Amino acid sequence: MGYTAVIGMEVHAQILTRSKMFCACSADYAGAPPNSHTCPTCLGMPGALPTANKAAIEATIRTGLALSCQIPPFAKFDRKNYPYPDLPKGYQISQYDLPLCRDGQLTLRTDAGEREIRIRRVHLEEDTAKLLHQPDATLIDYNRAGVPLMEIVTEADLRTAEEAGRYLVALRRILRYLGVSTGNMEEGAMRCEANVSVRPEGTSELGTKVEIKNLNSFRSVRQAIAYESERQIEVLEAGGEVHQVTMGWDEDAHRTVFQRSKEYAEDYRYFPEPDLPPMVHDPAWIAQLRDSLPELPASVAARFAELGIRPEDAELLAEDRTVASYADSALSTGAEQGIDATTIANWMTGELFRWLSENNASIDEIPVTPESLVASIALVENGTINQNVAKNVLAEMLDTGRDAASIIDERGLRQISDRAALQETVQRIIAANPGPAEDFRSGKQAALNYLMGQVMRETRGKANAGLVRELLQAELDG
Ligand code: ADP
Ligand code: MG
Ligand code: ZN
């Protein structure tokens, strides 16, 4: 019997605000000495009262709007009680039955076409303190306690580890476009839990789910889901049953490991937070937030794809706002000069992205403007330099910030398209290589590439490759 996996994701993202969620402490605690960003409120001292951070509420609602959520006019905070040392108050201020945003969706492009992933809710809460386990003690750093945190929960609509990974990438892209979170998983600014169950193919009843925590990278999300769904299938195949538990992903052992039995909502003894008033939103304010959303990545990618750019490349170019705006400028400059959008996209996703990743640089740091990138592409299009020379020229432009034309002139890189001169070289190469010439004549296509290589070497890579091929063929056939 075949099985399918059913996956729902819960993602926590730290919100980029200046102050914490319920006090005036700075939320930017990276690198600060432990416990230096604290006050009576975020330390949970008796009598200290919370005040809600409006910027965090706004960021959460903007995220909900970007995920096509409903924003109910009324929302409130609730206390979620649990006795861990990372919670100074003994409870976390969160949202239970009336979240800020609900019933949204995110469209994923997958190999099986477009998939709608329903978003159940986006709510706002506070982050916990950080526990640092030592061999003989556990230290607590409260700098993180009270940092605004949003939680984005999907319906159980994901079906494969790959889809779950794509969902996270797409979600992070939206968070970054909105500027509401860095989305950096390595730094813990975005953390996720995957809920996984399996069921026989063709059935619709949900199986018992296991929740997996400690997923600190896209890779571990994919690996943990793949591992856990296989594990559950094996349990069921052997006649056993899956227990509803919380597991962790052990990166080293490469397996999911039991952490604790599942806790249920009643374990948390939720009740409305009495120290904060409920939120009643002015519809005009929500409308204003909706109007102020930037163009979202899906729309940017769709615009690029309409220009004929392959959907996967369009998505790469829409990956982040600075890349997208660079691409926008390059594409419009290119269009003015009659250069295909696909040609520009190929240069960007190929040479440019490679250089960026090799140099660990981001596009807003490079000295090559979209206009000068297009100018170098135009030199290939009009035959001034060939493709391979252009790659080297672009790398030098990126290294030095110089423009293409001056590099080409200084190094004498202009393409040789002089038919008579090339014909002379071609004849000389054929005469000097009677073996390969004979091989080609007797049907060995590969011999032509060898001869092309010789001509290119002779011309120090500057010959017009199309013309050389044509001349070689004519000489050898003739
Ligand atoms: P819990 O009370 O354990 O947090 P919820 O019903 O609130 O469970 O769901 C949490 C997440 O688990 C959601 O993303 C939801 O879509 C997902 N989920 C719920 N049931 C299943 C299931 N049977 N299989 C996979 N995912 C599930
Ligand atoms: Mg849960
Ligand atoms: Zn504080």
Side-chain angles (χ1 to χ4, degrees), residues 11-22:
V11 172
H12 285 95
Q14 283 186 333
I15 304 174
L16 283 168
T17 50
R18 282 155 60 144
S19 57
K20 289 190 182 180
M21 187 60 226
F22 299 114

Side-chain angles (χ1 to χ4, degrees), residues 6-10 120 153-157 195-197 206-209 211 244 262-265:
V6 174
I7 303 147
M9 302 289 277
E10 297 169 280
R120 179 185 292 179
V153 183
T154 72
E155 293 296 342
D157 286 346
N195 296 268
V196 181
S197 65
L206 287 175
T208 304
K209 74 174 158 76
E211 181 172 340
Q244 183 159 336
K262 164 75 193 155
E263 64 283 277
Y264 296 89

Side-chain angles (χ1 to χ4, degrees), residues 3-312:
Y3 287 85
T4 26
V6 174
I7 303 147
M9 302 289 277
E10 297 169 280
V11 172
H12 285 95
Q14 283 186 333
I15 304 174
L16 283 168
T17 50
R18 282 155 60 144
S19 57
K20 289 190 182 180
M21 187 60 226
F22 299 114
C23 62
C25 291
S26 161
D28 183 10
Y29 61 86
N35 299 307
S36 58
H37 289 227
T38 54
C39 73
T41 297
C42 59
L43 287 174
M45 301 288 187
L49 291 173
T51 312
N53 182 333
K54 187 172 180 197
I57 296 172
E58 205 171 291
T60 306
I61 293 178
R62 289 175 71 232
T63 305
L65 290 169
L67 293 168
S68 312
C69 288
Q70 309 287 324
I71 312 298
F74 185 86
K76 68 176 169 71
F77 289 107
D78 297 278
R79 286 189 184 179
K80 180 182 185 180
N81 299 276
Y82 64 98
Y84 287 157
D86 59 5
L87 269 187
K89 299 189 290 293
Y91 60 85
Q92 178 189 36
I93 303 180
S94 179
Q95 296 193 273
Y96 183 47
D97 52 342
L98 297 174
L100 284 167
C101 323
R102 65 195 317 154
D103 300 328
Q105 64 185 46
L106 195 160
T107 306
L108 285 190
R109 201 181 54 76
T110 71
D111 301 333
E114 289 201 340
R115 295 255 293 113
E116 296 289 351
I117 308 304
R118 287 171 301 159
I119 304 294
R120 179 185 292 179
R121 57 190 278 151
V122 182
H123 75 242
L124 182 55
E125 57 191 34
E126 56 180 332
D127 210 343
T128 56
K130 200 164 192 159
L131 298 180
L132 301 132
H133 300 289
Q134 312 286 303
D136 54 350
T138 293
L139 305 176
I140 310 185
D141 179 1
Y142 286 100
N143 285 349
R144 196 179 71 178
V147 166
L149 196 64
M150 64 174 126
E151 177 168 352
I152 302 141
V153 183
T154 72
E155 293 296 342
D157 286 346
L158 295 154
R159 293 292 173 267
T160 62
E162 170 63 22
E163 257 181 35
R166 287 192 190 211
Y167 164 75
L168 286 182
V169 172
L171 177 63
R172 184 178 69 175
R173 201 183 289 142
I174 291 173
L175 298 176
R176 289 181 172 174
Y177 262 67
L178 296 173
V180 295
S181 176
T182 65
N184 285 338
M185 286 186 87
E186 328 72 70
E187 293 160 12
M190 177 163 139
R191 317 193 275 272
C192 82
E193 285 145 36
N195 296 268
V196 181
S197 65
V198 297
R199 66 186 176 197
E201 246 162 49
T203 64
S204 60
E205 203 181 319
L206 287 175
T208 304
K209 74 174 158 76
V210 164
E211 181 172 340
I212 315 172
K213 294 189 182 288
N214 289 356
L215 301 171
N216 304 324
S217 66
F218 289 109
R219 202 174 59 124
S220 54
V221 170
R222 291 195 173 93
Q223 290 179 342
I225 293 173
Y227 176 91
E228 178 58 24
S229 45
E230 280 307 309
R231 187 192 71 81
Q232 292 181 16
I233 292 169
E234 275 171 31
V235 168
L236 295 179
E237 292 274 72
E241 58 182 76
V242 173
H243 300 291
Q244 183 159 336
V245 295
T246 300
M247 298 185 103
W249 174 242
D250 184 334
E251 188 84 55
D252 300 326
H254 206 267
R255 58 190 288 264
T256 50
V257 286
F258 175 82
Q259 278 192 336
R260 54 184 149 91
S261 64
K262 164 75 193 155
E263 64 283 277
Y264 296 89
E266 52 269 29
D267 297 330
Y268 293 122
R269 301 167 347 270
Y270 280 102
F271 63 89
E273 167 59 59
D275 290 338
L276 288 164
M279 292 168 272
V280 182
H281 312 307
D282 178 356
W285 181 58
I286 304 293
Q288 198 184 319
L289 292 179
R290 190 190 300 276
D291 290 344
S292 71
L293 292 180
E295 186 186 16
L296 294 169
S299 153
V300 175
R303 266 197 306 108
F304 290 160
E306 264 167 34
L307 300 172
I309 296 171
R310 291 188 312 156
E312 47 274 44

